[in-house]
Amino acid sequence: MKTLFKSLYTQMMLASLLVLFSGLVVAQDCETYYPTSEGALLELTNYNRKDKISGRTVQKITNVSETSNGITMDMEIEMYDDKDEFIATSEVSMRCEEGVFYLDMEQFLSPETMEAYKEMDVTVTSEDLPVPSELAVGKKLDDGSVTVKVANEGMQIMTMTTTIKNREVIGRETVTTPAGSFECYKIAYDIETATIVKISMKGIDWYAKGVGTVKSESYNKKDKLLGYSLLTKFEK
């Protein structure tokens, strides 16, 4: 479970998935919350609440295709631990359709978690996380979720659902990181993971158009900071 939360925090960012906003206009007025050029690269470095590095992720856009409604993008994500040793690679897809950008919720699943069930029957269903091209302070955003069901020899042994909900744009700020300064929208949300028990967390992401997630913070349900991430490298 801790591994899942670490992966959630690491990727939000797109959290985000949540990562996100330079004014690129693509088919059907889609302003994407990631760069739309193949080969674009984003590095997010993760820190614990004592400001010590706990790992990093490297996200690379590997394919961009136009569709009748907008665009689709494929991303490769490499994960490294606190000693900068490689952990795993995963691939996710994103899309922009009719002015709404969607983050694939499956990216928030930890590869280590999925590896533990590789010999079993695993079914994953998700509702992608939407981010409208036009944001404004006070705007409320729809939920996203991902459910993993694990069975062994026909017997259901686990169901785990992670939901990102109560999302709201709470501000607009300039955020400076080692990768530069970015104009960002600040989005707050709740994270709920339900298995045998229900565990709740809170998060805040700072998104920049055409870039991705610039900064993320995660908190426990008592509003105590658990960790944060910063964009430390960005290449278009």
Side-chain angles (χ1 to χ4, degrees):
M1 188 64 66
K2 290 182 179 179
T3 302
L4 175 64
F5 283 144
K6 182 177 179 181
S7 180
L8 271 166
Y9 165 68
T10 299
Q11 303 308 325
M12 281 305 302
M13 311 140 100
L14 77 29
S16 117
L17 135 16
L18 169 301
V19 100
L20 291 184
F21 307 175
S22 121
L24 291 172
V25 179
V26 196
Q28 298 293 327
D29 296 325
C30 276
E31 290 188 276
T32 69
Y33 294 84
Y34 263 95
T36 56
S37 56
E38 293 182 10
L41 181 145
L42 303 91
E43 177 190 76
L44 287 161
T45 300
N46 311 309
Y47 303 84
N48 63 24
R49 64 175 181 266
K50 296 182 179 180
D51 301 320
K52 293 185 178 181
I53 293 176
S54 59
R56 67 184 177 101
T57 63
V58 178
Q59 306 170 352
K60 185 176 181 180
I61 304 296
T62 56
N63 183 64
V64 179
S65 302
E66 288 197 14
T67 68
S68 58
N69 294 325
I71 61 171
T72 61
M73 294 179 289
D74 297 323
M75 174 185 285
E76 180 182 81
I77 302 174
E78 295 180 351
M79 285 168 275
Y80 298 84
D81 64 15
D82 57 346
K83 296 180 176 60
D84 208 33
E85 295 182 354
F86 176 75
I87 298 174
T89 298
S90 62
E91 295 181 354
V92 298
S93 61
M94 301 169 286
R95 71 186 194 279
C96 188
E97 295 178 352
E98 300 179 351
V100 180
F101 182 75
Y102 294 90
L103 289 168
D104 186 349
M105 281 292 295
E106 290 189 31
Q107 70 180 286
F108 303 127
L109 294 175
S110 156
E112 297 98 318
T113 299
M114 301 305 290
E115 179 71 14
Y117 301 112
K118 66 178 182 179
E119 302 298 331
M120 302 181 187
D121 297 323
V122 179
T123 302
V124 180
T125 57
S126 65
E127 295 183 7
D128 293 342
L129 195 69
V131 184
S133 293
E134 296 299 325
L135 293 177
V137 176
K139 187 177 182 66
K140 297 184 184 300
L141 308 179
D142 291 339
D143 302 346
S145 66
V146 59
T147 297
V148 179
K149 293 183 177 181
V150 181
N152 189 24
E153 297 182 351
M155 180 178 294
Q156 193 79 28
I157 63 173
M158 186 198 76
T159 298
M160 178 175 64
T161 299
T162 297
T163 304
I164 297 176
K165 60 183 184 178
N166 301 327
R167 303 167 65 220
E168 182 178 356
V169 182
I170 61 172
R172 190 172 184 180
E173 300 175 354
T174 299
V175 177
T176 299
T177 77
S181 294
F182 306 89
E183 291 297 320
C184 299
Y185 280 99
K186 183 179 179 181
I187 300 177
Y189 53 90
D190 295 329
I191 305 172
E192 184 178 274
T193 296
T195 50
I196 299 174
V197 297
K198 188 179 294 183
I199 300 175
S200 299
M201 297 172 60
K202 298 180 180 180
I204 301 176
D205 292 337
W206 284 258
Y207 296 119
K209 276 188 178 178
V211 180
T213 304
V214 171
K215 179 181 177 181
S216 293
E217 294 177 346
S218 62
Y219 298 83
N220 64 18
K221 62 182 180 180
K222 295 182 179 180
D223 294 325
K224 182 178 180 179
L225 180 67
L226 299 174
Y228 63 96
S229 67
L230 294 175
L231 183 67
T232 49
K233 187 176 182 180
F234 175 57
E235 298 176 356
K236 291 186 178 180

